[in-house]
Amino acid sequence: MGHCDLTVLQPPFDADPLTCTRALAANDPLRAAEFAASFGTVEAILEDLGPRSSLDVPHPDRRADLDVVQAGAWGHVLGICDPALADNGNDTPLLYEAQALRERFPDARVVGRVHFHAGADHTEDIVWLPDGAMFHASGWPGDEPFVIGGDPDAVISSLGLTTEVLENAGLYLDEDEPNETEWSALATLALGPADPWNRPDVQTQAFRVGHTGSAVRAMEHLYFI
């Protein structure tokens, strides 16, 4: 399992995310627990497992590993890494949870990235901005089906991203087919330096949780079919 995270970036937004190097606030474990407990796939927090690096991406090898999530509350940034967000094309769990967070935090950027490998890669990425601009990409990179929802160009325009910035991130939207585009790179640009999942200096809090029944059934089928 690669990326499996969903992040809420609340104002203020950096005027120039490419040059700003503002550090994230230290993680608040109590707020992190509150955010994890309120997440749509989580029914209850069972145990606080302590701090973990945000780079410590879980790789579920046992059934018990599916019960572990990582969450953080870094000032104006909230985030969660949850194996229940992964999918193999039968559903769009990231989109569902992003919609719920969009309703809770209408003034925030809601950004998610999921990369699941089960013989082949399946990805789901989303950016939802306060002005309503959004894109959602889900499918099998380099293969079909691969579905794009929303308007990536509207997201790019709203974020003020230039062609040079996009190309430096490996995005060539006018040249590449949708299933050849690294959509997670656009999600990363939307978070800018507030991205908590790509920084060695950022700590999360790990929790053992009880997932909802639907999330448990989906994960057990997905990871241990």
Side-chain angles (χ1 to χ4, degrees):
M1 186 177 76
H3 280 297
C4 209
D5 53 72
L6 190 52
T7 305
V8 177
L9 173 57
Q10 301 173 92
F13 306 122
D14 295 319
D16 188 350
L18 299 178
T19 60
C20 177
T21 58
R22 183 176 63 183
L24 288 178
N27 181 40
D28 182 334
L30 292 179
R31 288 182 60 219
E34 291 172 356
F35 182 64
S38 71
F39 199 62
T41 63
V42 174
E43 201 164 74
I45 301 290
L46 304 179
E47 182 182 3
D48 187 334
L49 300 177
R52 291 187 184 178
S53 168
S54 66
L55 296 181
D56 185 13
V57 178
H59 298 277
D61 295 318
R62 302 170 300 161
R63 169 61 186 82
D65 295 336
L66 298 179
D67 298 330
V68 178
V69 305
Q70 293 168 253
W74 307 275
H76 67 307
V77 182
L78 301 169
I80 189 166
C81 178
D82 183 355
L85 292 173
D87 190 63
N88 63 355
N90 293 322
D91 208 345
T92 53
L94 185 70
L95 175 60
Y96 297 151
E97 298 307 324
Q99 288 174 326
L101 291 177
R102 163 72 176 168
E103 293 176 3
R104 289 176 57 193
F105 303 97
D107 296 327
R109 295 179 186 176
V110 178
V111 180
R113 297 162 296 195
V114 170
H115 179 184
F116 177 74
H117 183 81
D121 290 331
H122 185 274
T123 61
E124 187 179 1
D125 300 285
I126 191 166
V127 173
W128 212 325
L129 303 180
D131 62 5
M134 69 86 73
F135 88 88
H136 172 251
S138 179
W140 304 90
D143 205 346
E144 298 292 343
F146 202 96
V147 179
I148 305 296
D151 188 346
D153 288 334
V155 170
I156 290 168
S157 176
S158 182
L159 292 172
L161 300 175
T162 65
T163 299
E164 180 182 7
V165 169
L166 295 173
E167 291 181 353
N168 286 340
L171 291 165
Y172 301 88
L173 302 186
D174 293 335
E175 301 175 16
D176 293 341
E177 295 295 326
N179 65 1
E180 298 173 340
T181 298
E182 189 73 25
W183 293 105
S184 64
L186 183 51
T188 298
L189 287 174
L191 290 174
D195 186 353
W197 304 107
N198 289 321
R199 295 172 52 164
D201 60 319
V202 173
Q203 292 288 305
T204 69
Q205 201 76 5
F207 302 98
R208 189 170 302 282
V209 305
H211 281 100
T212 62
S214 59
V216 169
R217 289 189 295 272
M219 286 192 295
E220 289 180 344
H221 177 76
L222 184 66
Y223 288 93
F224 298 110
I225 187 170

